[in-house]
Amino acid sequence: MDEQKRFYITTAIDYPNSRPHIGTAFEKIGADVQARYRRMEGYAVHFLMGNDENTVKVAKRAAELDRAPKEYCDDMANQFKDVWRALDISFDDFIQTSEPRHHAGCQKFIQKVFDSGAIYKGTYEGWYCDGCESFKTDTEAKEAEGLCSIHKTPLVRRSEPCHFFALSRFQERLLAFYEAHPDFIQPECRRNEIVTLVKTELKDVNITRQGQSWGIRVPFDPDFTIWVWFDALLNYITAIGYGSDEKRFKEWWPADVHFIGKDITRFHCALWPAMLLAAGVEPPSMVFGHGFVYFKGEKISKTLGNIVEPMEIITKFSSEAFRYYFMRECPFPGDGDFTWQRFADLYNADLANNLGNLYSRVVTLITKNFAGCLDGTAGKTPPPIHDGLAETVRQVKTHIEACQYNQALEKIWRQVLDPANQYTDRREPWKLVKTDKDAAKETLFGLAESLRVASILIKPFLPRTGETIYRSFHFTKPWESVSYADAASATAQQGDLRILAQLEGGKVKPMFPRIE
């Protein structure tokens, strides 16, 4: 561990007032792809997720169900984790903001900011959205004609005693930080809006609430609880030991990337780094504000009532099909759309007819015509099918590291799988085996190599599918230790290439049965 490169990834923590929807899952899958890729590249990865529980709406929902807030939150946390596990999200930790470790870290942090002189008491009046649990600027209220631009509900004029975080004092320090760290806000289009906000509308923030029994008490004024956003942002540091294990905290912080929705960039790119600077903590290396998933052109939200649950798609099809659709069809830095028809079309074209069909053909032909073993391939390098494979792998790596997942998958399908299928159609090994068995063997040896390459490249995206393909053959290197470097060039086979897949009647079970 001490000698390994570290990579700390987080996602936004979620309100557990209802189960996750496909827009929430989109973010988690994108973060998971990055986590799995970094592990393949030799990093020690810490991947954090969690739930945002110290909110008025959570307390209200628990009361509606006649349950204690903590009991309700624990139950919802288990439900969220069930969905994430069904999608094979490889998180290392799941923090609940109702946990003692979070409460202790938050109280230590806010006390430190108070001691620095960046918190003062006053009275706040402004436009408030219950759904966001935050105040909106007069400009935001005017532009949205008195509605919340996210929830489409009327804003309420609210006045209350509070403690302010002196955010406005950090204008110059924030602008200097952005200048010194040009990659901090990604993608680039998010950077401009944040810089404009900091230059023109950076105002002090009300960071406490009065009269609430559910939440974290302010240590220097216990009549107040900590405002949910100030508390929620701190999960990124309390989860790795801030306030409880300083050695561990120093090992992992700063985070390499926070994955968040584009609608909360101002909290993460202006408020959050200012909070950290006030407490003497280094800001994270990057905040990546991904786009939204729409359903038939309409933003998915609990308020609008157009939720599509991940488990609905997983149950009907598979977690792999779910992961492929959202990473291929929805550009992670931008916006995407979900419709059942487009899901079926993409599934059939790319998964059933392309990858799945190639795999079935190769395994079946080797099993049927060569008794499951290509004799004489030990010590030999498969024949080349692809031009510029090393360059293709380099391009895929570049796209993944830039979170351009749809472009990475496009490269894999167009530059690895399509050529393999075209090669199959040209060579027709099902015919060749009857006239020239050696030539057929050579063809299938090359196609098995294409599947090896594809299985490694799709491992971050489709971990189950990649593993199934790879373990179906007697490839040399253990699946657990493959890296992208292993996909960039062919190596000599140790031992004759054999089929290890489980067969039914001499055939493999269809990996992706067509949607009719």
Side-chain angles (χ1 to χ4, degrees):
M1 172 71 176
D2 289 340
E3 296 178 359
Q4 271 188 296
K5 301 173 290 184
R6 291 174 176 78
F7 204 89
Y8 179 30
I9 299 174
T10 74
T11 65
I13 54 176
D14 303 306
Y15 288 135
N17 55 318
S18 64
R19 288 168 59 84
H21 57 72
I22 58 176
T24 313
F26 174 61
E27 174 178 285
K28 313 314 180 194
I29 297 169
D32 184 63
V33 169
Q34 195 67 220
R36 288 177 179 275
Y37 166 75
R38 297 290 175 173
R39 292 186 190 110
M40 288 178 70
E41 294 302 292
Y43 287 86
V45 171
H46 190 72
F47 177 13
L48 174 69
M49 293 168 56
N51 277 358
D52 187 2
E53 299 173 339
N54 300 316
T55 70
V56 172
K57 65 179 75 174
V58 166
K60 285 181 179 178
R61 181 60 180 153
E64 289 170 5
L65 298 172
D66 196 26
R67 300 177 73 179
K70 179 59 176 168
E71 176 196 357
Y72 170 80
C73 287
D74 290 346
D75 178 44
M76 289 303 294
N78 288 329
Q79 291 189 45
F80 269 71
K81 285 186 279 190
D82 285 345
V83 174
W84 303 145
R85 290 182 183 121
L87 279 169
D88 291 310
I89 309 298
S90 61
F91 58 91
D92 298 295
D93 190 7
F94 188 96
I95 189 167
Q96 296 176 240
T97 58
S98 60
E99 291 181 60
R101 60 171 169 163
H102 183 68
H103 281 228
C106 284
Q107 289 182 318
K108 176 182 177 180
F109 185 93
I110 199 170
Q111 184 68 54
K112 195 163 187 178
V113 176
F114 178 76
D115 293 343
S116 77
I119 293 175
Y120 63 93
K121 198 167 184 178
T123 302
Y124 189 90
E125 181 175 346
W127 295 106
Y128 189 81
C129 170
D130 280 323
C132 295
E133 297 202 32
S134 67
F135 284 94
K136 306 293 182 178
T137 65
D138 289 341
T139 300
E140 288 174 316
K142 184 177 180 181
E143 288 177 351
E145 299 181 341
L147 300 177
C148 170
S149 60
I150 298 169
H151 294 94
K152 310 302 180 187
T153 52
L155 298 172
V156 177
R157 196 71 182 175
R158 183 164 164 171
S159 178
E160 59 186 42
C162 68
H163 295 82
F164 284 96
F165 172 58
L167 181 59
S168 61
R169 299 181 197 171
F170 291 84
Q171 182 184 58
E172 290 186 7
R173 291 183 70 182
L174 285 173
L175 293 173
F177 178 76
Y178 302 151
E179 185 70 24
H181 302 85
D183 294 331
F184 172 65
I185 305 171
Q186 292 295 320
E188 183 66 25
C189 60
R190 313 275 184 249
R191 176 184 171 87
N192 297 334
E193 64 185 64
I194 296 301
V195 170
T196 300
L197 170 74
V198 171
K199 285 181 177 178
T200 61
E201 288 195 53
L202 198 66
K203 297 180 180 179
D204 294 352
V205 180
N206 172 359
I207 61 165
T208 59
R209 296 291 182 266
Q210 193 175 41
Q212 295 181 9
S213 59
W214 177 248
I216 302 174
R217 291 287 156 195
V218 175
F220 49 83
D221 196 341
D223 288 340
F224 292 83
T225 54
I226 302 173
W227 172 50
V228 63
W229 267 103
F230 197 94
D231 136 33
L233 288 163
L234 293 171
N235 89 90
Y236 303 130
I237 61 175
T238 61
I240 53 169
Y242 184 90
S244 59
D245 187 342
E246 287 302 308
K247 181 177 182 294
R248 183 165 181 262
F249 173 65
K250 289 176 182 178
E251 285 179 347
W252 285 105
W253 191 258
D256 291 273
V257 58
H258 292 323
F259 286 112
I260 60 162
K262 64 180 180 180
D263 55 330
I264 54 174
T265 50
R266 68 189 181 103
F267 294 107
H268 284 78
C269 299
L271 175 61
W272 178 224
M275 288 166 55
L276 291 167
L277 292 170
V281 178
E282 184 180 353
S285 299
M286 180 189 297
V287 175
F288 192 100
H290 63 78
F292 290 147
V293 172
Y294 293 88
F295 180 61
K296 297 181 179 179
E298 186 177 55
K299 183 180 181 294
I300 295 171
S301 80
K302 298 169 186 175
T303 306
L304 296 175
N306 58 356
I307 299 299
V308 178
E309 284 209 14
M311 293 306 293
E312 183 179 357
I313 301 173
I314 296 169
T315 303
K316 286 182 178 178
F317 304 103
S318 68
S319 61
E320 299 285 276
F322 186 110
R323 290 172 67 102
Y324 183 76
Y325 180 88
F326 287 101
M327 292 297 96
R328 176 67 182 87
E329 187 68 7
C330 304
F332 201 68
D335 296 329
D337 197 55
F338 175 83
T339 68
W340 286 106
Q341 184 58 54
R342 179 56 185 156
F343 179 89
D345 291 345
L346 190 68
Y347 174 101
N348 282 337
D350 285 6
L351 298 178
N353 297 345
N354 191 318
L355 176 60
N357 187 48
L358 178 66
Y359 168 72
S360 295
R361 273 179 163 180
V362 173
V363 172
T364 300
L365 284 168
I366 295 175
T367 300
K368 181 179 178 181
N369 297 286
F370 296 92
C373 180
L374 297 181
D375 294 333
T377 53
K380 292 186 177 180
T381 301
I385 292 178
H386 309 281
D387 294 326
L389 183 58
E391 176 59 18
T392 295
V393 173
R394 187 196 67 78
Q395 291 173 0
V396 172
K397 284 167 56 75
T398 298
H399 286 314
I400 293 177
E401 290 170 10
C403 304
Q404 297 165 341
Y405 303 134
N406 63 321
Q407 294 184 54
L409 288 168
E410 173 77 6
K411 292 286 184 189
I412 297 168
W413 255 252
R414 301 293 82 86
Q415 295 180 206
V416 177
L417 291 169
D418 280 357
N421 277 294
Q422 291 159 6
Y423 179 79
T424 307
D425 292 339
R426 286 197 310 272
R427 298 282 292 178
E428 297 182 315
W430 52 90
K431 292 182 180 178
L432 196 59
V433 74
K434 298 174 183 177
T435 60
D436 189 340
K437 203 162 185 179
D438 286 341
K441 180 192 296 184
E442 185 81 353
T443 298
L444 291 169
F445 191 29
L447 290 172
E449 171 65 10
S450 293
L451 287 169
R452 185 191 72 87
V453 170
S455 69
I456 294 171
L457 294 181
I458 66 173
K459 185 176 181 179
F461 300 94
L462 307 178
R464 292 190 188 189
T465 301
E467 182 172 7
T468 296
I469 293 171
Y470 195 90
R471 292 189 186 279
S472 294
F473 299 89
H474 180 240
F475 292 133
T476 300
K477 192 168 186 178
W479 170 248
E480 293 81 4
S481 59
V482 295
S483 68
Y484 268 40
D486 296 313
S489 62
T491 57
Q493 175 70 25
Q494 291 183 12
D496 289 336
L497 185 70
R498 299 193 309 275
I499 297 297
L500 303 178
Q502 291 187 342
L503 306 175
E504 297 177 3
K507 295 182 178 181
V508 290
K509 183 179 178 181
M511 188 175 290
F512 296 103
R514 277 185 56 82
I515 299 173
E516 302 297 341

